[in-house]
Amino acid sequence: MIRAFIFDLDGVITDTAEYHFRAWKRLAEDEDLIFTRQDNEALRGVSRRDSLLLLLKGNIYPEGQLQEMMERKNSYYLEFIQDINPNDILPGAIELLQELRSNGYQIALGSASKNARDVLQRLGIEEFFDQISDGYSVEYQKPAPDLFLHAASQLKLSPRVCVVVEDATSGIEAAVAGGFRTIGIGPLERVGIADFVLPDLSGVRLKDILSSL
Ligand code: BG6
Ligand code: MG
């Protein structure tokens, strides 16, 4: 019996995953570091700090410099998202949120981003969410299960009755580690360990999800 859905944000509901990539790319260029789209796959779903450490490929930097680089990346990211609006919601997301809502399911956000509330507001979909767990909610982010466990406990539900919808390997790993059911959004090589894999949310109906989990 499924009672709730916990959605990742970046790359599931809206294409901000691309803006995270572009912001890291710009930082890498400032710093004369090589950073490709393929390198970016390892950063998908990962917190700002862990993303920076991956980008720096194990090289040691003083804490002050790490902080400055994280702020710089975030200012680039904020520049990129300043014009996002409800038209930037990915196809099928609103329809699925509406269907879940009208069938009485609880809905939570499970995003590692500290900008998640801001993005939800810009997209105009905050009211769909009973619970928002974000980059401020837990210390250990994905692939640790803590963020999704935080969302489930706020909903007062066991992970077994919650489905996590994720586009990142780190996110699916986090959900599996927490005992959640999983829908992976994207290619099999990225989210193939999910219970149910979809290319995106367009045309996805609740009955298909329930029969595939
Ligand atoms: C995740 C993104 O949702 O949030 C990552 O997939 C990002 O790419 C992480 O690094 C943290 O986001 P922010 O907005 O706090 O830097
Ligand atoms: Mg994501």
Side-chain angles (χ1 to χ4, degrees):
M1 166 91 169
I2 290 165
R3 305 275 307 279
F5 285 75
I6 305 174
F7 285 84
D8 174 48
L9 175 66
D10 300 314
V12 170
I13 292 177
T14 183
D15 204 10
T16 36
E18 177 64 19
Y19 298 133
H20 280 294
F21 166 65
R22 288 191 205 167
W24 285 123
K25 179 81 183 157
R26 192 153 147 198
L27 180 80
E29 282 166 5
D30 292 349
E31 300 297 319
D32 276 327
L33 298 168
I34 293 168
F35 180 65
T36 64
R37 213 168 253 284
Q38 201 190 334
D39 294 333
N40 185 61
E41 282 303 301
L43 274 57
R44 206 175 260 272
V46 170
S47 73
R48 196 181 305 173
R49 187 183 185 86
D50 289 342
S51 296
L52 177 62
L53 297 179
L54 286 169
L55 185 119
L56 297 175
K57 299 193 166 99
N59 291 307
I60 309 294
Y61 286 74
E63 181 57 31
Q65 221 173 321
L66 295 178
Q67 291 295 338
E68 185 283 320
M69 285 192 272
M70 284 190 279
E71 279 163 31
R72 188 153 28 113
K73 182 270 174 177
N74 197 49
S75 71
Y76 294 155
Y77 178 69
L78 292 176
E79 246 178 70
F80 290 135
I81 65 163
Q82 71 173 341
D83 292 329
I84 66 167
N85 61 63
N87 293 326
D88 294 296
I89 298 170
L90 285 168
I94 286 281
E95 292 80 353
L96 181 58
L97 290 169
Q98 276 164 345
E99 195 180 9
L100 295 175
R101 185 43 83 241
S102 60
N103 283 275
Y105 289 89
Q106 302 247 71
I107 301 175
L109 192 82
S111 167
S113 176
K114 291 183 169 163
N115 295 297
R117 278 178 191 273
D118 183 17
V119 171
L120 281 187
Q121 256 165 26
R122 287 171 196 262
L123 297 176
I125 52 171
E126 248 191 324
E127 94 262 13
F128 278 109
F129 294 88
D130 301 296
Q131 164 62 25
I132 294 174
S133 297
D134 64 11
Y136 295 104
S137 303
V138 294
E139 187 176 353
Y140 299 107
Q141 288 290 349
K142 305 164 191 178
D146 305 31
L147 185 70
F148 296 132
L149 292 172
H150 180 270
S153 87
Q154 293 296 114
L155 296 175
K156 303 196 170 35
L157 292 173
S158 142
R160 279 175 294 120
V161 298
C162 302
V163 180
V164 167
V165 188
E166 255 293 347
D167 71 312
T169 307
S170 60
I172 299 288
E173 285 170 355
V176 169
F180 295 85
R181 285 187 246 192
T182 49
I183 298 177
I185 303 295
L188 278 175
E189 56 271 27
R190 196 167 78 208
V191 291
I193 59 163
D195 299 314
F196 182 36
V197 176
L198 293 164
D200 53 49
L201 291 178
S202 55
V204 177
R205 303 306 307 267
L206 178 58
K207 66 172 171 34
D208 303 325
I209 293 176
L210 297 179
S211 62
S212 305
L213 288 174

